[in-house]
Amino acid sequence: MTETMSPRERWLAALKCEPVDRLPFWAKFDGSYTHYQVEPFRSMSVGDIHKWVGSVPPAGSPACSKVIRKKTSTKSHRDNGTRFTEYITPAGMLTATNRFDEGSQSWHPIEFPVKERKDIEAMTLFFSDATCEFDSDQLENAKAAMENVGESTVVTTGIGISPLMDWIQHLAGIENAHYMLWDYKEDVEALFDAMHKLLCRRAEIIAEKSPAPVVFSTENTSTTLISPEMFQKYSYKHLVDYGNILSSAGKLHLLHMCGHLKDVLPDINKLPAAGIEAFTSPTVGNTTLKDGREGCPNKGLVGGTNAALWTRSKDEIFGQIKHDLDELPHHRGIVLTSAGVMTPLCKPETIKEIADLIKSYPVSNN
């Protein structure tokens, strides 16, 4: 087929639910992927693998901001594959411990900093002490990234994680996060307020200064972690604030939500966000592209598959993708990806074949 759009134009059109010449495709490789491949792929960079299979990932850029502290600080050190982070505050020191996993080539928490009620006060002081300021050096780096990338893809930056999801994933852990939010509701909500204030200021700086057109919130939202009621009470109002700040400057707010979303789609639909990234189909997630289009008719859907699907044969993988695409009323607002990280069990040759089939799929822009 004849392509009439650059990769950057195609990405932006899809996020805006505008017509595209063909569907964009992004295989989400991370550092673990090449580790499990045979040569020559094992020795390739992640960027080279993307080019070989025909995948176009977005490019990152700095958020043009920095955090300044007066009374609090952090210190971090590593020891034999374990990373220790100390949060030093006037109310005491908290410690987080993460261990490096060779298989996934990533860090995983084994100790969370907030363990009991007094730690909530210390963490609140840690966030209240922080101010977010414009960083001119980061702006120059962001401008350079835009220039280097050109038309080859879309440039993004990140705002961070909204308070509830940060609390659950990084500060208290799933179990303690729920217990403490129930037992010490006012204390935890005061912490959320301090976290939210910092993120709002970062959003303002990004809106005013960053040249990147797309801004990620790395939420990892899933109703396996929080209830729809919790999403409505906390995440929703915070994401509304970030989205309003960013959209007022013409930025596209993209929500990284990689879990079970079916029961919160009506609320996501009302957010001032451009779309959902890492939109994951069953059996890993619980939302098909049809679910997403019906629940969020004007949102971009970046994903549409799942890791389990990519362990199957080429015919099975594309057969499911084609089935899901054929169910849609149109194909505006779709970027097909592996949703989460691409499994190393799917070989580059298979991904390339699927990428070619996706590129040749006849899109409907009606």
Side-chain angles (χ1 to χ4, degrees), residues 247-264:
S247 62
S248 68
K251 304 294 185 187
L252 300 174
H253 191 201
L254 196 54
L255 308 173
H256 176 90
M257 295 179 166
C258 51
H260 285 213
L261 300 179
K262 197 164 190 176
D263 291 337
V264 292

Side-chain angles (χ1 to χ4, degrees), residues 13 48 58 81 108 139 166-167 192 251 285 291 319 322:
D48 287 341
H108 295 269
L139 174 59
D166 203 4
W167 165 249
F192 286 180
K251 304 294 185 187
D291 293 329
K322 184 178 185 302

Side-chain angles (χ1 to χ4, degrees), residues 1-15 18-27 50-51 53-57 151-153 325 331-336 352 354-365:
M1 63 170 293
T2 301
E3 296 188 358
T4 60
M5 307 177 82
S6 71
R8 182 190 68 85
E9 291 171 331
R10 190 176 297 115
W11 255 102
L12 289 175
L15 294 180
E18 296 174 350
V20 293
D21 58 349
R22 67 165 175 84
L23 292 172
F25 173 66
W26 171 24
H50 277 296
K51 291 176 183 177
V53 303
S55 160
V56 180
E151 291 295 313
S152 65
T153 190
L325 290 172
H331 301 108
R332 289 177 283 108
I334 302 293
V335 178
L336 281 171
K352 179 175 173 55
I354 298 299
D356 290 341
L357 290 167
I358 289 171
K359 290 173 187 176
S360 64
Y361 180 86
V363 297
S364 169
N365 287 311

Side-chain angles (χ1 to χ4, degrees), residues 52-216:
W52 193 89
V53 303
S55 160
V56 180
S61 69
C64 302
S65 63
K66 57 187 176 183
V67 173
I68 305 299
R69 299 181 176 279
K70 296 178 180 179
K71 300 178 182 178
T72 62
S73 61
T74 60
K75 290 197 305 185
S76 184
H77 69 277
R78 298 182 185 182
D79 182 20
N80 194 29
T82 303
R83 183 175 65 202
F84 302 91
T85 301
E86 296 173 347
Y87 298 81
I88 302 164
T89 82
M93 185 180 75
L94 311 179
T95 301
T97 307
N98 288 262
R99 186 164 293 155
F100 190 75
D101 176 68
E102 286 291 338
S104 63
Q105 291 289 293
S106 60
W107 293 92
H108 295 269
I110 58 174
E111 177 190 12
F112 293 94
V114 178
K115 303 173 182 66
E116 51 187 319
R117 186 176 190 177
K118 66 180 181 63
D119 299 337
I120 305 172
E121 177 190 0
M123 191 59 75
T124 303
L125 288 172
F126 179 79
F127 277 95
S128 298
D129 180 54
T131 56
C132 197
E133 298 182 2
F134 168 62
D135 188 323
S136 58
D137 290 338
Q138 286 193 28
L139 174 59
E140 293 307 310
N141 290 335
K143 289 179 178 178
M146 292 286 292
E147 185 175 346
N148 291 336
V149 168
E151 291 295 313
S152 65
T153 190
V154 67
V155 176
T156 70
T157 192
I159 184 177
I161 310 169
S162 67
L164 175 64
M165 295 310 301
D166 203 4
W167 165 249
I168 287 173
Q169 296 176 85
H170 302 117
L171 301 184
I174 299 171
E175 187 174 3
N176 274 346
H178 285 283
Y179 285 147
M180 285 190 276
L181 185 52
W182 180 266
D183 292 338
Y184 315 121
K185 179 173 175 286
E186 292 182 359
D187 298 31
V188 176
E189 288 182 349
L191 169 59
F192 286 180
D193 289 344
M195 297 167 74
H196 181 56
K197 182 179 179 181
L198 189 66
L199 285 174
C200 283
R201 180 58 188 142
R202 181 175 294 135
E204 291 169 352
I205 293 170
I206 290 172
E208 180 183 354
K209 301 291 187 180
S210 173
V214 179
V215 184
F216 272 94

Side-chain angles (χ1 to χ4, degrees), residues 305-325:
T305 68
N306 68 86
L309 176 63
W310 288 92
T311 64
R312 301 178 187 173
S313 69
K314 178 200 75 172
D315 290 342
E316 289 177 295
I317 297 169
F318 187 70
Q320 185 64 59
I321 290 173
K322 184 178 185 302
H323 171 271
D324 292 348
L325 290 172

